[in-house]
Amino acid sequence: MWGIIATWRMAKEGLDKASNILSQQGTAGDAIETAIKEVEDFPYYKSVGYGGLPNKDMEVELDAAYMDGTTFDIGAIGALKDFANPISIARSLSKNKVNNLLVGSGAEAYAHKAGFERKNMLTERAKTHFKNRVKDLQEFEISPYSGHDTVGMVSLDNLGNMVAGTSTSGLFMKEKGRVGDSPIIGSGLYVDSEVGGASATGLGEDLMKGVVSYEVVRLMKENLSPQEAVEKVTFDLDKELTERRGSSGDISIVAMNNKGEWGVASNIENFSFSVATQIHENTVYRTIREGNHMIHTVASEEWMKNYLTERMRPLEEK
Ligand code: SD4
């Protein structure tokens, strides 16, 4: 059995490519790297890779991670500037015995030495978004952090090996040097081929408080289904944060076990995800919470079309 699950609709095209790889006996690692690169390279997704929104100083700083669930190899980068594919750099770091998580100039020096493609990741469109958002912030009461969509994935190949990966430009208008949950093993992602894997998106500062991806895998190891595990972790953390701190940030988690069964939970209203397995064609779902359970609905054609139209709409400076 092969399978791959990812946060958000934006992963759909990447999952088409990953499905091809996995159905032809490719590895979970190649599938996930290919799928995440597809998202990183698409200039209209403004929260991952090229075209990602910048930090407060108008610089695009990227976080990414890669974990192999069979060998437990881990690699990650934080606050990396000017390289095209953070996921590939994270994967390359996962081959090291030590020095697996590098940040800032150290990560850039490593990527340069290892021959990764340099690229200015700040697009004109992202600059316009930035300027408009600064104006909106002056005029309306909106959070500078809204509109963030990290890509996180878990994949399973026919040999039973599992891999998890993440890639993000983090929170829009974040401080220079801020690193979120996405490159943090256990929080942004975790995978154990003997059990399954999980990946999270949302407010990193809150996701880290629940070490959510590890927690989901731990519960699956105790025989919870992926859906039961993600619901428990998402809603328990949401409740605990609300009780202790007055509110909870966005929490969305996708998971897959080593049989290709999957689950998704979210405490926000507009979460979408993409999933493909050997017995389930690549499909985008939208999901809503009812009590402490989720209801997943296949995204309509109209919604799918609007999604891309909206993302690619010409953007003018306000
Ligand atoms: C972060 N968790 O940097 C990321 C942002 C994110 O959907 O997931 N956005 O905190």
Side-chain angles (χ1 to χ4, degrees):
M1 173 67 77
W2 59 263
I4 183 161
I5 188 164
T7 57
W8 306 105
R9 181 270 170 250
M10 64 181 167
K12 164 88 169 54
E13 288 73 16
L15 258 52
D16 282 334
K17 290 195 170 172
S19 303
N20 273 339
I21 294 172
L22 291 167
S23 62
Q24 290 168 37
Q25 317 304 319
T27 66
D30 288 347
I32 227 167
E33 183 181 356
T34 302
I36 292 182
K37 274 170 87 170
E38 181 81 12
V39 185
E40 289 176 341
D41 290 341
F42 190 66
Y44 292 97
Y45 293 143
K46 57 185 195 300
S47 46
V48 178
Y50 184 60
L53 292 178
N55 65 15
K56 264 189 181 159
D57 296 348
M58 192 61 109
E59 299 164 326
V60 180
E61 288 189 326
L62 303 166
D63 297 343
Y66 178 96
M67 179 167 185
D68 182 315
T70 301
T71 58
F72 281 165
D73 286 342
I74 52 169
I77 54 95
L80 169 101
K81 280 192 296 194
D82 297 333
F83 281 89
N85 292 115
I87 188 62
S88 302
I89 302 169
R91 186 180 189 186
S92 156
L93 279 167
S94 77
K95 312 251 160 55
N96 289 354
K97 263 223 165 84
V98 292
N99 302 306
N100 296 112
L101 165 56
L102 297 182
V103 300
S105 58
E108 285 146 24
Y110 169 83
H112 178 69
K113 227 168 125 188
F116 286 98
E117 183 194 344
R118 273 189 181 276
K119 187 165 171 180
N120 174 9
M121 302 298 271
L122 182 62
T123 60
E124 285 307 313
R125 189 176 173 87
K127 275 191 212 165
T128 308
H129 267 301
F130 179 93
K131 289 180 194 154
N132 288 349
R133 187 60 72 95
V134 170
K135 281 200 189 124
D136 284 349
L137 282 172
Q138 289 158 355
E139 284 176 35
F140 311 106
E141 278 232 354
I142 59 165
S143 155
Y145 297 127
S146 59
H148 46 84
D149 306 354
T150 292
V151 70
M153 301 190 186
V154 178
S155 73
L156 162 71
D157 65 30
N158 269 324
L159 293 177
N161 292 311
M162 298 192 76
V163 168
T166 57
S167 184
T168 187
S169 54
L171 296 185
F172 181 36
M173 302 286 257
K174 64 188 180 182
E175 293 290 337
K176 182 181 174 67
R178 180 263 185 193
V179 174
D181 61 305
S182 304
I184 306 299
I185 304 300
S187 190
L189 73 170
Y190 193 80
V191 62
D192 177 345
S193 301
E194 290 187 7
V195 182
S199 182
T201 171
L203 183 64
E205 282 73 0
D206 276 358
L207 292 164
M208 286 191 266
K209 295 179 175 86
V211 200
V212 294
S213 292
Y214 180 79
E215 190 58 12
V216 167
V217 175
R218 193 185 67 76
L219 290 174
M220 291 196 293
K221 198 171 182 174
E222 291 183 357
N223 288 324
L224 267 69
S225 71
Q227 188 59 38
E228 288 165 344
V230 288
E231 284 174 354
K232 179 160 175 49
V233 171
T234 302
F235 301 135
D236 282 1
L237 181 61
D238 177 85
K239 185 164 173 269
E240 215 158 327
L241 292 175
T242 307
E243 280 168 10
R244 293 195 199 196
R245 303 172 61 84
S247 67
S248 163
D250 295 359
I251 304 169
S252 304
I253 311 175
V254 299
M256 183 171 277
N257 66 17
N258 65 356
K259 293 183 227 138
E261 298 160 348
W262 49 270
V264 177
S266 176
N267 69 348
I268 63 169
E269 275 176 12
N270 56 353
F271 188 59
S272 61
F273 63 95
S274 313
V275 60
T277 76
Q278 196 169 325
I279 53 168
H280 179 285
E281 190 188 0
N282 188 7
T283 307
V284 174
Y285 289 86
R286 302 171 67 199
T287 187
I288 49 164
R289 177 178 182 174
E290 259 197 26
N292 276 353
H293 296 290
M294 303 300 302
I295 298 179
H296 309 317
T297 318
V298 174
S300 68
E301 255 174 52
E302 192 192 352
W303 185 86
M304 294 289 284
K305 220 172 82 205
N306 287 345
Y307 180 95
L308 267 193
T309 314
E310 184 60 28
R311 295 293 175 297
M312 296 172 73
R313 195 153 41 97
L315 188 67
E316 280 178 18
E317 204 172 319
K318 289 186 181 168

PDB file of all heavy atoms in Angstrom, residues 197-229:
ATOM      1  N   GLY A 197       2.695   8.669  10.637  1.00  0.00           N
ATOM      2  CA  GLY A 197       3.293  10.004  10.742  1.00  0.00           C
ATOM      3  C   GLY A 197       2.230  11.078  10.803  1.00  0.00           C
ATOM      4  O   GLY A 197       1.051  10.837  10.522  1.00  0.00           O
ATOM      5  N   ALA A 198       2.688  12.301  11.165  1.00  0.00           N
ATOM      6  CA  ALA A 198       1.762  13.435  11.250  1.00  0.00           C
ATOM      7  C   ALA A 198       2.505  14.713  10.909  1.00  0.00           C
ATOM      8  O   ALA A 198       3.737  14.786  11.025  1.00  0.00           O
ATOM      9  CB  ALA A 198       1.170  13.526  12.650  1.00  0.00           C
ATOM     10  N   SER A 199       1.752  15.713  10.457  1.00  0.00           N
ATOM     11  CA  SER A 199       2.333  17.029  10.224  1.00  0.00           C
ATOM     12  C   SER A 199       1.292  18.094  10.546  1.00  0.00           C
ATOM     13  O   SER A 199       0.090  17.882  10.366  1.00  0.00           O
ATOM     14  CB  SER A 199       2.812  17.158   8.777  1.00  0.00           C
ATOM     15  OG  SER A 199       3.416  18.421   8.601  1.00  0.00           O
ATOM     16  N   ALA A 200       1.784  19.243  11.024  1.00  0.00           N
ATOM     17  CA  ALA A 200       0.862  20.271  11.528  1.00  0.00           C
ATOM     18  C   ALA A 200       1.031  21.588  10.788  1.00  0.00           C
ATOM     19  O   ALA A 200       2.086  21.875  10.217  1.00  0.00           O
ATOM     20  CB  ALA A 200       1.132  20.497  13.011  1.00  0.00           C
ATOM     21  N   THR A 201      -0.017  22.394  10.811  1.00  0.00           N
ATOM     22  CA  THR A 201       0.060  23.758  10.308  1.00  0.00           C
ATOM     23  C   THR A 201      -0.798  24.629  11.224  1.00  0.00           C
ATOM     24  O   THR A 201      -1.715  24.138  11.863  1.00  0.00           O
ATOM     25  CB  THR A 201      -0.403  23.846   8.831  1.00  0.00           C
ATOM     26  OG1 THR A 201      -0.511  25.213   8.451  1.00  0.00           O
ATOM     27  CG2 THR A 201      -1.738  23.178   8.597  1.00  0.00           C
ATOM     28  N   GLY A 202      -0.459  25.910  11.274  1.00  0.00           N
ATOM     29  CA  GLY A 202      -1.191  26.806  12.163  1.00  0.00           C
ATOM     30  C   GLY A 202      -0.232  27.735  12.869  1.00  0.00           C
ATOM     31  O   GLY A 202       0.836  28.052  12.341  1.00  0.00           O
ATOM     32  N   LEU A 203      -0.597  28.152  14.061  1.00  0.00           N
ATOM     33  CA  LEU A 203       0.261  29.073  14.810  1.00  0.00           C
ATOM     34  C   LEU A 203       1.371  28.287  15.509  1.00  0.00           C
ATOM     35  O   LEU A 203       1.134  27.623  16.526  1.00  0.00           O
ATOM     36  CB  LEU A 203      -0.577  29.853  15.830  1.00  0.00           C
ATOM     37  CG  LEU A 203       0.203  30.900  16.629  1.00  0.00           C
ATOM     38  CD1 LEU A 203       0.752  32.004  15.729  1.00  0.00           C
ATOM     39  CD2 LEU A 203      -0.646  31.494  17.740  1.00  0.00           C
ATOM     40  N   GLY A 204       2.572  28.384  14.959  1.00  0.00           N
ATOM     41  CA  GLY A 204       3.686  27.587  15.453  1.00  0.00           C
ATOM     42  C   GLY A 204       3.909  27.713  16.948  1.00  0.00           C
ATOM     43  O   GLY A 204       4.185  26.730  17.636  1.00  0.00           O
ATOM     44  N   GLU A 205       3.774  28.925  17.454  1.00  0.00           N
ATOM     45  CA  GLU A 205       4.026  29.156  18.878  1.00  0.00           C
ATOM     46  C   GLU A 205       3.077  28.324  19.742  1.00  0.00           C
ATOM     47  O   GLU A 205       3.428  27.933  20.853  1.00  0.00           O
ATOM     48  CB  GLU A 205       3.877  30.646  19.206  1.00  0.00           C
ATOM     49  CG  GLU A 205       5.068  31.511  18.791  1.00  0.00           C
ATOM     50  CD  GLU A 205       5.196  31.750  17.292  1.00  0.00           C
ATOM     51  OE1 GLU A 205       4.365  31.251  16.510  1.00  0.00           O
ATOM     52  OE2 GLU A 205       6.160  32.443  16.888  1.00  0.00           O
ATOM     53  N   ASP A 206       1.857  28.062  19.255  1.00  0.00           N
ATOM     54  CA  ASP A 206       0.916  27.237  20.012  1.00  0.00           C
ATOM     55  C   ASP A 206       1.075  25.754  19.704  1.00  0.00           C
ATOM     56  O   ASP A 206       0.975  24.914  20.606  1.00  0.00           O
ATOM     57  CB  ASP A 206      -0.527  27.690  19.747  1.00  0.00           C
ATOM     58  CG  ASP A 206      -0.918  28.861  20.654  1.00  0.00           C
ATOM     59  OD1 ASP A 206      -0.076  29.266  21.495  1.00  0.00           O
ATOM     60  OD2 ASP A 206      -2.044  29.372  20.524  1.00  0.00           O
ATOM     61  N   LEU A 207       1.355  25.425  18.440  1.00  0.00           N
ATOM     62  CA  LEU A 207       1.540  24.010  18.077  1.00  0.00           C
ATOM     63  C   LEU A 207       2.686  23.387  18.874  1.00  0.00           C
ATOM     64  O   LEU A 207       2.616  22.234  19.309  1.00  0.00           O
ATOM     65  CB  LEU A 207       1.827  23.897  16.575  1.00  0.00           C
ATOM     66  CG  LEU A 207       0.656  24.259  15.654  1.00  0.00           C
ATOM     67  CD1 LEU A 207       1.147  24.499  14.230  1.00  0.00           C
ATOM     68  CD2 LEU A 207      -0.406  23.167  15.670  1.00  0.00           C
ATOM     69  N   MET A 208       3.732  24.191  19.091  1.00  0.00           N
ATOM     70  CA  MET A 208       4.896  23.665  19.826  1.00  0.00           C
ATOM     71  C   MET A 208       4.539  23.328  21.272  1.00  0.00           C
ATOM     72  O   MET A 208       5.162  22.462  21.879  1.00  0.00           O
ATOM     73  CB  MET A 208       6.048  24.671  19.783  1.00  0.00           C
ATOM     74  CG  MET A 208       6.728  24.730  18.425  1.00  0.00           C
ATOM     75  SD  MET A 208       8.269  25.676  18.453  1.00  0.00           S
ATOM     76  CE  MET A 208       7.703  27.278  17.962  1.00  0.00           C
ATOM     77  N   LYS A 209       3.540  24.016  21.808  1.00  0.00           N
ATOM     78  CA  LYS A 209       3.166  23.774  23.217  1.00  0.00           C
ATOM     79  C   LYS A 209       2.588  22.371  23.403  1.00  0.00           C
ATOM     80  O   LYS A 209       2.597  21.834  24.512  1.00  0.00           O
ATOM     81  CB  LYS A 209       2.154  24.823  23.677  1.00  0.00           C
ATOM     82  CG  LYS A 209       2.746  26.232  23.702  1.00  0.00           C
ATOM     83  CD  LYS A 209       1.715  27.264  24.145  1.00  0.00           C
ATOM     84  CE  LYS A 209       2.316  28.636  24.293  1.00  0.00           C
ATOM     85  NZ  LYS A 209       2.358  29.437  23.064  1.00  0.00           N
ATOM     86  N   GLY A 210       2.065  21.805  22.305  1.00  0.00           N
ATOM     87  CA  GLY A 210       1.488  20.456  22.407  1.00  0.00           C
ATOM     88  C   GLY A 210       2.329  19.379  21.751  1.00  0.00           C
ATOM     89  O   GLY A 210       1.941  18.216  21.735  1.00  0.00           O
ATOM     90  N   VAL A 211       3.503  19.763  21.213  1.00  0.00           N
ATOM     91  CA  VAL A 211       4.367  18.808  20.483  1.00  0.00           C
ATOM     92  C   VAL A 211       3.474  17.856  19.664  1.00  0.00           C
ATOM     93  O   VAL A 211       3.535  16.627  19.768  1.00  0.00           O
ATOM     94  CB  VAL A 211       5.294  18.016  21.428  1.00  0.00           C
ATOM     95  CG1 VAL A 211       6.482  17.415  20.667  1.00  0.00           C
ATOM     96  CG2 VAL A 211       5.814  18.902  22.530  1.00  0.00           C
ATOM     97  N   VAL A 212       2.614  18.471  18.853  1.00  0.00           N
ATOM     98  CA  VAL A 212       1.433  17.778  18.347  1.00  0.00           C
ATOM     99  C   VAL A 212       1.712  16.586  17.428  1.00  0.00           C
ATOM    100  O   VAL A 212       0.995  15.583  17.492  1.00  0.00           O
ATOM    101  CB  VAL A 212       0.474  18.770  17.643  1.00  0.00           C
ATOM    102  CG1 VAL A 212      -0.107  19.754  18.652  1.00  0.00           C
ATOM    103  CG2 VAL A 212       1.149  19.519  16.508  1.00  0.00           C
ATOM    104  N   SER A 213       2.713  16.687  16.569  1.00  0.00           N
ATOM    105  CA  SER A 213       2.907  15.587  15.615  1.00  0.00           C
ATOM    106  C   SER A 213       3.395  14.327  16.332  1.00  0.00           C
ATOM    107  O   SER A 213       2.943  13.216  16.051  1.00  0.00           O
ATOM    108  CB  SER A 213       3.890  16.002  14.513  1.00  0.00           C
ATOM    109  OG  SER A 213       3.310  17.002  13.713  1.00  0.00           O
ATOM    110  N   TYR A 214       4.300  14.524  17.277  1.00  0.00           N
ATOM    111  CA  TYR A 214       4.768  13.368  18.059  1.00  0.00           C
ATOM    112  C   TYR A 214       3.594  12.754  18.822  1.00  0.00           C
ATOM    113  O   TYR A 214       3.432  11.526  18.880  1.00  0.00           O
ATOM    114  CB  TYR A 214       5.876  13.763  19.044  1.00  0.00           C
ATOM    115  CG  TYR A 214       6.340  12.574  19.836  1.00  0.00           C
ATOM    116  CD1 TYR A 214       7.213  11.654  19.280  1.00  0.00           C
ATOM    117  CD2 TYR A 214       5.843  12.338  21.113  1.00  0.00           C
ATOM    118  CE1 TYR A 214       7.592  10.524  19.980  1.00  0.00           C
ATOM    119  CE2 TYR A 214       6.213  11.217  21.821  1.00  0.00           C
ATOM    120  CZ  TYR A 214       7.099  10.311  21.255  1.00  0.00           C
ATOM    121  OH  TYR A 214       7.465   9.189  21.938  1.00  0.00           O
ATOM    122  N   GLU A 215       2.795  13.629  19.402  1.00  0.00           N
ATOM    123  CA  GLU A 215       1.666  13.167  20.216  1.00  0.00           C
ATOM    124  C   GLU A 215       0.688  12.320  19.371  1.00  0.00           C
ATOM    125  O   GLU A 215       0.193  11.286  19.829  1.00  0.00           O
ATOM    126  CB  GLU A 215       0.969  14.392  20.816  1.00  0.00           C
ATOM    127  CG  GLU A 215      -0.061  14.109  21.873  1.00  0.00           C
ATOM    128  CD  GLU A 215       0.436  13.339  23.084  1.00  0.00           C
ATOM    129  OE1 GLU A 215       1.655  13.173  23.268  1.00  0.00           O
ATOM    130  OE2 GLU A 215      -0.432  12.861  23.835  1.00  0.00           O
ATOM    131  N   VAL A 216       0.446  12.744  18.137  1.00  0.00           N
ATOM    132  CA  VAL A 216      -0.450  11.975  17.261  1.00  0.00           C
ATOM    133  C   VAL A 216       0.145  10.586  16.985  1.00  0.00           C
ATOM    134  O   VAL A 216      -0.562   9.569  17.057  1.00  0.00           O
ATOM    135  CB  VAL A 216      -0.702  12.732  15.928  1.00  0.00           C
ATOM    136  CG1 VAL A 216      -1.354  11.814  14.892  1.00  0.00           C
ATOM    137  CG2 VAL A 216      -1.565  13.963  16.166  1.00  0.00           C
ATOM    138  N   VAL A 217       1.430  10.544  16.696  1.00  0.00           N
ATOM    139  CA  VAL A 217       2.063   9.245  16.404  1.00  0.00           C
ATOM    140  C   VAL A 217       2.037   8.355  17.653  1.00  0.00           C
ATOM    141  O   VAL A 217       1.751   7.155  17.588  1.00  0.00           O
ATOM    142  CB  VAL A 217       3.497   9.442  15.858  1.00  0.00           C
ATOM    143  CG1 VAL A 217       4.196   8.094  15.667  1.00  0.00           C
ATOM    144  CG2 VAL A 217       3.457  10.216  14.544  1.00  0.00           C
ATOM    145  N   ARG A 218       2.288   8.969  18.808  1.00  0.00           N
ATOM    146  CA  ARG A 218       2.249   8.206  20.063  1.00  0.00           C
ATOM    147  C   ARG A 218       0.864   7.567  20.274  1.00  0.00           C
ATOM    148  O   ARG A 218       0.743   6.406  20.653  1.00  0.00           O
ATOM    149  CB  ARG A 218       2.582   9.125  21.238  1.00  0.00           C
ATOM    150  CG  ARG A 218       2.867   8.404  22.536  1.00  0.00           C
ATOM    151  CD  ARG A 218       3.075   9.376  23.682  1.00  0.00           C
ATOM    152  NE  ARG A 218       1.861  10.107  24.032  1.00  0.00           N
ATOM    153  CZ  ARG A 218       0.847   9.593  24.710  1.00  0.00           C
ATOM    154  NH1 ARG A 218       0.889   8.348  25.121  1.00  0.00           N
ATOM    155  NH2 ARG A 218      -0.219  10.331  24.981  1.00  0.00           N
ATOM    156  N   LEU A 219      -0.174   8.339  19.993  1.00  0.00           N
ATOM    157  CA  LEU A 219      -1.530   7.806  20.174  1.00  0.00           C
ATOM    158  C   LEU A 219      -1.855   6.726  19.142  1.00  0.00           C
ATOM    159  O   LEU A 219      -2.541   5.747  19.447  1.00  0.00           O
ATOM    160  CB  LEU A 219      -2.562   8.940  20.095  1.00  0.00           C
ATOM    161  CG  LEU A 219      -2.541   9.910  21.286  1.00  0.00           C
ATOM    162  CD1 LEU A 219      -3.496  11.073  21.041  1.00  0.00           C
ATOM    163  CD2 LEU A 219      -2.894   9.196  22.588  1.00  0.00           C
ATOM    164  N   MET A 220      -1.334   6.906  17.919  1.00  0.00           N
ATOM    165  CA  MET A 220      -1.562   5.848  16.910  1.00  0.00           C
ATOM    166  C   MET A 220      -0.854   4.559  17.342  1.00  0.00           C
ATOM    167  O   MET A 220      -1.337   3.457  17.102  1.00  0.00           O
ATOM    168  CB  MET A 220      -1.084   6.306  15.519  1.00  0.00           C
ATOM    169  CG  MET A 220      -1.943   7.418  14.922  1.00  0.00           C
ATOM    170  SD  MET A 220      -1.707   7.671  13.150  1.00  0.00           S
ATOM    171  CE  MET A 220      -0.044   8.297  13.045  1.00  0.00           C
ATOM    172  N   LYS A 221       0.286   4.733  18.008  1.00  0.00           N
ATOM    173  CA  LYS A 221       1.017   3.555  18.512  1.00  0.00           C
ATOM    174  C   LYS A 221       0.192   2.831  19.581  1.00  0.00           C
ATOM    175  O   LYS A 221       0.299   1.622  19.758  1.00  0.00           O
ATOM    176  CB  LYS A 221       2.352   4.012  19.093  1.00  0.00           C
ATOM    177  CG  LYS A 221       3.365   2.919  19.251  1.00  0.00           C
ATOM    178  CD  LYS A 221       4.717   3.487  19.609  1.00  0.00           C
ATOM    179  CE  LYS A 221       5.765   2.417  19.723  1.00  0.00           C
ATOM    180  NZ  LYS A 221       7.097   2.972  19.923  1.00  0.00           N
ATOM    181  N   GLU A 222      -0.645   3.605  20.279  1.00  0.00           N
ATOM    182  CA  GLU A 222      -1.540   2.998  21.275  1.00  0.00           C
ATOM    183  C   GLU A 222      -2.848   2.535  20.638  1.00  0.00           C
ATOM    184  O   GLU A 222      -3.867   2.417  21.323  1.00  0.00           O
ATOM    185  CB  GLU A 222      -1.810   3.990  22.404  1.00  0.00           C
ATOM    186  CG  GLU A 222      -0.579   4.227  23.245  1.00  0.00           C
ATOM    187  CD  GLU A 222      -0.823   5.158  24.428  1.00  0.00           C
ATOM    188  OE1 GLU A 222      -1.954   5.679  24.563  1.00  0.00           O
ATOM    189  OE2 GLU A 222       0.128   5.362  25.178  1.00  0.00           O
ATOM    190  N   ASN A 223      -2.809   2.408  19.315  1.00  0.00           N
ATOM    191  CA  ASN A 223      -3.919   1.835  18.550  1.00  0.00           C
ATOM    192  C   ASN A 223      -5.092   2.754  18.263  1.00  0.00           C
ATOM    193  O   ASN A 223      -6.148   2.292  17.850  1.00  0.00           O
ATOM    194  CB  ASN A 223      -4.438   0.542  19.194  1.00  0.00           C
ATOM    195  CG  ASN A 223      -3.431  -0.561  18.975  1.00  0.00           C
ATOM    196  OD1 ASN A 223      -2.793  -0.601  17.915  1.00  0.00           O
ATOM    197  ND2 ASN A 223      -3.237  -1.407  19.970  1.00  0.00           N
ATOM    198  N   LEU A 224      -4.935   4.056  18.482  1.00  0.00           N
ATOM    199  CA  LEU A 224      -5.981   4.956  18.002  1.00  0.00           C
ATOM    200  C   LEU A 224      -5.871   5.018  16.478  1.00  0.00           C
ATOM    201  O   LEU A 224      -4.773   4.902  15.918  1.00  0.00           O
ATOM    202  CB  LEU A 224      -5.811   6.369  18.586  1.00  0.00           C
ATOM    203  CG  LEU A 224      -6.602   6.655  19.874  1.00  0.00           C
ATOM    204  CD1 LEU A 224      -6.043   5.857  21.032  1.00  0.00           C
ATOM    205  CD2 LEU A 224      -6.572   8.138  20.182  1.00  0.00           C
ATOM    206  N   SER A 225      -6.987   5.194  15.817  1.00  0.00           N
ATOM    207  CA  SER A 225      -6.934   5.380  14.361  1.00  0.00           C
ATOM    208  C   SER A 225      -6.366   6.762  14.100  1.00  0.00           C
ATOM    209  O   SER A 225      -6.393   7.629  14.984  1.00  0.00           O
ATOM    210  CB  SER A 225      -8.337   5.281  13.768  1.00  0.00           C
ATOM    211  OG  SER A 225      -9.081   6.431  14.135  1.00  0.00           O
ATOM    212  N   PRO A 226      -5.856   7.042  12.877  1.00  0.00           N
ATOM    213  CA  PRO A 226      -5.339   8.380  12.593  1.00  0.00           C
ATOM    214  C   PRO A 226      -6.387   9.462  12.872  1.00  0.00           C
ATOM    215  O   PRO A 226      -6.074  10.510  13.430  1.00  0.00           O
ATOM    216  CB  PRO A 226      -4.994   8.312  11.099  1.00  0.00           C
ATOM    217  CG  PRO A 226      -4.724   6.870  10.837  1.00  0.00           C
ATOM    218  CD  PRO A 226      -5.618   6.104  11.755  1.00  0.00           C
ATOM    219  N   GLN A 227      -7.637   9.198  12.514  1.00  0.00           N
ATOM    220  CA  GLN A 227      -8.675  10.220  12.733  1.00  0.00           C
ATOM    221  C   GLN A 227      -8.906  10.450  14.233  1.00  0.00           C
ATOM    222  O   GLN A 227      -8.990  11.588  14.690  1.00  0.00           O
ATOM    223  CB  GLN A 227      -9.973   9.812  12.025  1.00  0.00           C
ATOM    224  CG  GLN A 227     -11.056  10.883  12.024  1.00  0.00           C
ATOM    225  CD  GLN A 227     -10.615  12.195  11.357  1.00  0.00           C
ATOM    226  OE1 GLN A 227      -9.898  12.200  10.357  1.00  0.00           O
ATOM    227  NE2 GLN A 227     -10.997  13.319  11.942  1.00  0.00           N
ATOM    228  N   GLU A 228      -8.971   9.371  15.012  1.00  0.00           N
ATOM    229  CA  GLU A 228      -9.154   9.525  16.463  1.00  0.00           C
ATOM    230  C   GLU A 228      -7.971  10.278  17.073  1.00  0.00           C
ATOM    231  O   GLU A 228      -8.143  11.155  17.923  1.00  0.00           O
ATOM    232  CB  GLU A 228      -9.265   8.142  17.137  1.00  0.00           C
ATOM    233  CG  GLU A 228     -10.563   7.427  16.860  1.00  0.00           C
ATOM    234  CD  GLU A 228     -10.517   5.937  17.231  1.00  0.00           C
ATOM    235  OE1 GLU A 228      -9.411   5.362  17.433  1.00  0.00           O
ATOM    236  OE2 GLU A 228     -11.589   5.346  17.290  1.00  0.00           O
ATOM    237  N   ALA A 229      -6.766   9.952  16.617  1.00  0.00           N
ATOM    238  CA  ALA A 229      -5.565  10.565  17.198  1.00  0.00           C
ATOM    239  C   ALA A 229      -5.508  12.064  16.901  1.00  0.00           C
ATOM    240  O   ALA A 229      -5.256  12.865  17.809  1.00  0.00           O
ATOM    241  CB  ALA A 229      -4.314   9.865  16.658  1.00  0.00           C
TER     242      ALA A 229
END
